[in-house]
Amino acid sequence: MVDGKITPMPTAQDVGALVQESGKWVPQFVGADGGAAITAGAYGMYSRTGNVVTVGFDIIWRSAGTLQGLVCLGGFPFCMGGPTGAARSYFVGYKYKLTFSVDGALFLTSPGDGSTAYIRIQNGNSFSNLDASSFQEGTEIAGTITYLT
């Protein structure tokens, strides 16, 4: 209530929900310290409504190329938002030929500016970042995640 009057609820237009688009994007394996891996195939689709983005992707590793440091997924059509300084995590549905000492759930964590996401394995209460040694020719990851811009 403002000045004794009932204030109207915000409309979809007021909160930006009318901004809608969809299209293709090209996922990339990038290094946390620079460079990029060579892929054998990469495909992505996205849909955005307001500040909610859903991306689907399928990417296949060929070789490490110039990748340096931990392996990240990059090329997102929009940066991942959220609280400043907070890491955002998203579970990924599919992994194939990924070499790691323990089996676990594959997930992405996007710290910092939200333009890339570390590829990690979670096993119980612990997780590990992956470097190029966990990947081999033909390693494939795929999934669908939804995030805020």
Side-chain angles (χ1 to χ4, degrees):
M1 226 184 252
V2 176
D3 296 326
K5 298 179 183 174
I6 297 175
T7 57
M9 293 291 295
T11 66
Q13 184 174 6
D14 294 336
V15 297
L18 294 183
V19 175
Q20 294 184 350
E21 65 179 285
S22 60
K24 296 177 182 178
W25 67 287
V26 180
Q28 303 168 340
F29 288 119
V30 296
D33 298 327
I38 298 169
T39 60
Y43 178 77
M45 297 288 291
Y46 73 89
S47 175
R48 176 181 175 202
T49 302
N51 68 341
V52 178
V53 178
T54 299
V55 297
F57 61 92
D58 190 341
I59 184 169
I60 302 169
W61 180 280
R62 177 169 288 158
S63 69
T66 60
L67 187 139
Q68 298 174 27
L70 300 173
V71 179
C72 298
L73 187 65
F76 291 100
F78 304 95
C79 286
M80 297 176 188
T84 303
R88 285 89 49 197
S89 294
Y90 311 93
F91 282 92
V92 177
Y94 179 75
K95 61 183 187 268
Y96 174 70
K97 291 177 76 171
L98 188 64
T99 305
F100 200 70
S101 59
V102 296
D103 192 28
L106 183 68
F107 71 104
L108 304 174
T109 298
S110 181
D113 68 4
S115 63
T116 62
Y118 290 106
I119 299 174
R120 296 177 163 175
I121 292 284
Q122 181 173 353
N123 184 286
N125 291 329
S126 65
F127 68 87
S128 298
N129 294 316
L130 301 180
D131 61 20
S133 69
S134 297
F135 293 76
Q136 59 185 300
E137 185 170 354
T139 295
E140 179 179 10
I141 64 169
T144 300
I145 62 171
T146 299
Y147 62 89
L148 299 175
T149 59

